[in-house]
Amino acid sequence: MSRSVAGPEIEQLIQLLARLPGLGPRSARRAALHLIKRKDQLLSPLASAMQVAAQSIVVCGQCGNMDTSDPCTICRDPRRDASMICVVEEVGDLWALERAAVINARYHVLGGTLSPLDGRGPDDLNIASLTERAGSGGVTEILLALNATVEGQSTAHYLMDQLEGSGITISRLAHGVPVGGELDYLDEGTLAAAIKARKTL
Amino acid sequence: MDWRDQGIILSVRPHGETSAVVELFTREHGRHLGLVRGGRSRRQRPVLQPGNIVEAEWRARLSEHLGAYMVELSNAYAALALDDRIALAGLNTLTSLARLLPERDPHAALYEAGLVVLGHISDVEIWPGLLVRWELELLNELGFGLDLASCAATGESGDLAYVSPRTGRAVSRAAGEPYRAKLLALPAFLAREQATGPGLPDVLSGFALTGFFFEKHVFEPRNLVMPEARGRLIAALQAAGEA
């Protein structure tokens, strides 16, 4: 049985930190020690920032994004192209696309993919509000930026069925060779997808 | 304990931050689970897609343990099906239904038949008929096989056109005619060998036949529901037929 080296408050801090992605019990202990040593510069500001975030974070009623206001910053931005909706699985995917700054569209976060294995059906995803947005007028293109996995693409096909007949252009991300990817090192699946999606020059 | 075998990936569940519990349908060891360390890595994720064929090595201290897999991609059928909604629904149907098999019980013939279906997944003229045959074989392996060799009423083997929903036995056209409203249609490609592949109406009729017996013998008694992918596959095939 391991002995506690600190009071229950610090032990609880370590246990909570250990639940974060990328951190195990040892690294959580190291992080906790780092925070404790820099109480004024790090621990207190971090605690108050987390407190403020926990109180103000809401899910955007329009797109399903997480922000501190509803509608979220992206939905409120008048410079965004309102005629295009980019559909993503999770908020992390939205952040990744925003980081790349390659698209000026509005988003729609599904909250996952259809997964019979996990008992996640269409009613568990943010699909009804997407069809509602698609039918509200002004939208001319929906980009399905879903993962190139069996679950992601099954969800994309389901959405295509749902949006069929709406008169909106439905597009999806290309699959194939990543930038900097060497053919030698690519898996057969990616190569097959790249060959299937080849372009005439 | 260790063995090497080839298998179809049926499902992948995240385990911790980096690993995955992978369910394979292997040739000699049946439906078998194992842990793939690093299974959520960028390198392994394209390999660990349902429908792909892998060469797997399984190791465990005791045979009853979950054990760990080392997998290497053999055929990337998932990538071939991603763009095609019908093919993807077919692939999902096969992998979902194969999960009905008992664990660690080999079904080599069914495995080989599954490989044939996946091997033709790019050719929509061929694989739906093969999938119907695979479903019949699955019913057989689960202990609910249909007897389509001869007529239940007359014993004749010619002109079989119906299947009794009660017994799962074929019925000839002449004997079944008075009861046709109560009988299930038996598509010609399941009744006898044909030089050409089945047409879409026959394929749909085949799915209706196997679907009925799956519901009756497998899903209802276990309080399960038919995989959604199968419904999507049938709807997509019907839509393709109407187009």
Side-chain angles (χ1 to χ4, degrees):
Chain A
M1 198 175 136
S2 65
R3 288 185 295 181
S4 294
V5 293
E9 294 83 2
I10 295 176
E11 284 297 333
Q12 198 195 359
L13 175 67
I14 293 167
Q15 279 174 20
L16 289 171
L17 285 172
R19 290 193 205 168
L20 295 176
L23 291 187
R26 268 169 180 271
S27 43
R29 205 164 276 278
R30 224 167 33 240
L33 192 59
H34 187 78
L35 288 168
I36 293 163
K37 277 183 180 171
R38 291 158 185 79
K39 187 182 163 194
D40 293 333
Q41 300 98 316
L42 263 182
L43 184 60
S44 300
L46 181 67
S48 51
M50 288 173 91
Q51 181 84 32
V52 170
Q55 282 169 355
S56 54
I57 284 173
V58 286
V59 175
C60 176
Q62 284 182 31
C63 71
N65 186 16
M66 282 190 209
D67 205 342
T68 50
S69 59
D70 182 13
C72 69
T73 312
I74 293 173
C75 287
R76 276 188 289 117
D77 188 349
R79 291 166 300 176
R80 293 271 170 175
D81 181 1
S83 67
M84 187 177 186
I85 296 175
C86 178
V87 180
V88 292
E89 285 178 23
E90 299 285 358
V91 176
D93 301 327
L94 184 156
W95 287 3
L97 286 167
E98 281 299 290
R99 210 167 49 233
V102 286
I103 188 165
N104 192 37
R106 296 216 162 127
Y107 289 91
H108 195 87
V109 183
L110 290 178
T113 50
L114 297 175
S115 173
L117 198 62
D118 300 320
R120 209 165 44 235
D123 295 340
D124 302 307
L125 302 180
N126 203 7
I127 292 176
S129 57
L130 174 65
T131 48
E132 205 176 291
R133 284 178 81 185
S136 62
V139 178
T140 56
E141 182 175 354
I142 291 182
L143 167 61
L144 301 175
L146 303 178
N147 291 337
T149 59
V150 168
E151 281 188 357
Q153 292 309 299
S154 298
T155 310
H157 291 308
Y158 177 82
L159 291 176
M160 281 161 68
D161 289 342
Q162 295 299 303
L163 297 166
E164 206 173 16
S166 61
I168 297 170
T169 305
I170 314 290
S171 54
R172 68 154 177 81
L173 294 181
H175 301 156
V177 182
V179 174
E182 294 176 32
L183 298 189
D184 210 12
Y185 289 96
L186 287 182
D187 65 282
E188 291 85 338
T190 306
L191 283 172
I195 297 286
K196 269 182 90 173
R198 67 187 180 275
K199 264 183 171 177
T200 307
L201 299 175
Chain B
M1 290 293 302
D2 66 325
W3 48 255
R4 285 184 71 87
D5 203 350
Q6 192 188 52
I8 302 169
I9 296 179
L10 300 183
S11 71
V12 181
R13 278 180 170 280
H15 183 82
E17 279 182 40
T18 56
S19 302
V21 175
V22 175
E23 186 178 19
L24 296 182
F25 176 28
T26 60
R27 180 183 279 126
E28 287 163 27
H29 300 86
R31 188 168 71 85
H32 201 293
L33 284 87
L35 182 78
V36 176
R37 293 199 175 85
R40 298 181 71 192
S41 68
R42 212 178 277 186
R43 197 175 62 85
Q44 286 278 30
R45 262 186 290 184
V47 175
L48 299 179
Q49 292 297 314
N52 280 350
I53 311 293
V54 291
E55 293 294 334
E57 186 176 348
W58 182 80
R59 279 174 195 269
R61 196 166 60 79
L62 296 173
S63 62
E64 55 266 34
H65 284 178
L66 173 69
Y69 274 132
M70 296 270 283
V71 294
E72 200 173 306
L73 185 65
S74 183
N75 289 94
Y77 292 129
L80 292 177
L82 284 187
D83 285 349
D84 181 343
R85 77 171 69 181
I86 300 180
L88 197 56
L91 185 141
N92 280 329
T93 301
L94 188 143
T95 53
S96 308
L97 289 177
R99 299 185 69 236
L100 295 170
L101 289 167
E103 264 190 71
R104 303 189 178 196
D105 189 24
H107 299 274
L110 186 68
Y111 175 78
E112 295 295 343
L115 283 189
V116 175
V117 177
L118 292 172
H120 290 87
I121 204 73
S122 304
D123 192 346
V124 75
E125 298 293 322
I126 296 176
W127 69 259
L130 295 173
L131 184 58
V132 173
R133 286 185 185 279
W134 182 85
E135 287 190 348
L136 272 180
E137 183 62 26
L138 175 61
L139 277 170
N140 193 36
E141 295 287 320
L142 292 172
F144 307 109
L146 309 188
D147 180 358
L148 307 179
S150 60
C151 174
T154 63
E156 288 173 12
S157 57
D159 202 23
L160 300 173
Y162 304 105
V163 175
S164 162
R166 197 173 61 80
T167 62
R169 294 188 65 188
V171 180
S172 68
R173 193 177 307 279
E177 201 53 36
Y179 314 101
R180 63 180 298 179
K182 289 182 180 173
L183 297 173
L184 300 163
L186 174 63
F189 78 103
L190 296 180
R192 57 186 172 275
E193 290 299 321
Q194 288 184 312
T196 56
L200 188 55
D202 272 0
V203 167
L204 291 171
S205 176
F207 278 126
L209 179 69
T210 51
F212 176 85
F213 287 101
F214 272 121
E215 286 288 2
K216 181 183 173 186
H217 293 306
V218 184
F219 291 109
E220 279 179 16
R222 297 192 204 180
N223 212 11
L224 297 172
V225 289
M226 186 73 86
E228 263 183 64
R230 195 175 183 278
R232 280 205 295 276
L233 167 64
I234 292 168
L237 285 172
Q238 279 168 339
E242 287 161 12

